[in-house]
Amino acid sequence: MKKIYGIIGYPVVNSLSPTLHNAALKAAGINAEYRVFDLLPDDPEALANFCYEVQLNKIDGFSVTRPDKQEVMAYM
């Protein structure tokens, strides 16, 4: 089963993280994908929904960029 990782924040659509992480995962032979999760700032409902969906969608881990670093702690 493919593992899913990613980065959340705004804007992250142009982040180089997926390119770098996916290349490293492929080179290491790890069955995983690193995705972008672009969340609008100052939208606590979107952040709460994402955190709920982490378990629902079996997301194995994610990085957090500004401005969500402090807010995401409430869901950890």
Side-chain angles (χ1 to χ4, degrees), residues 26-73:
K26 184 177 180 180
I30 298 171
N31 186 20
E33 181 180 351
Y34 193 91
R35 299 179 181 173
V36 169
F37 301 102
D38 215 18
L39 300 178
L40 291 174
D42 301 322
D43 188 349
E45 186 175 336
L47 182 59
N49 288 338
F50 174 82
C51 290
Y52 169 74
E53 291 172 2
V54 164
Q55 290 182 324
L56 185 66
N57 293 317
K58 302 196 183 331
I59 297 170
D60 295 286
F62 56 91
S63 304
V64 182
T65 67
R66 296 180 68 120
D68 296 315
K69 287 185 183 283
Q70 294 296 320
E71 288 79 5
V72 79
M73 294 304 292

Side-chain angles (χ1 to χ4, degrees), residues 1-6 18 21-35 60:
M1 183 173 197
K2 181 184 275 188
K3 292 191 175 275
I4 304 296
Y5 300 98
H21 285 86
N22 284 323
L25 291 165
K26 184 177 180 180
I30 298 171
N31 186 20
E33 181 180 351
Y34 193 91
R35 299 179 181 173
D60 295 286

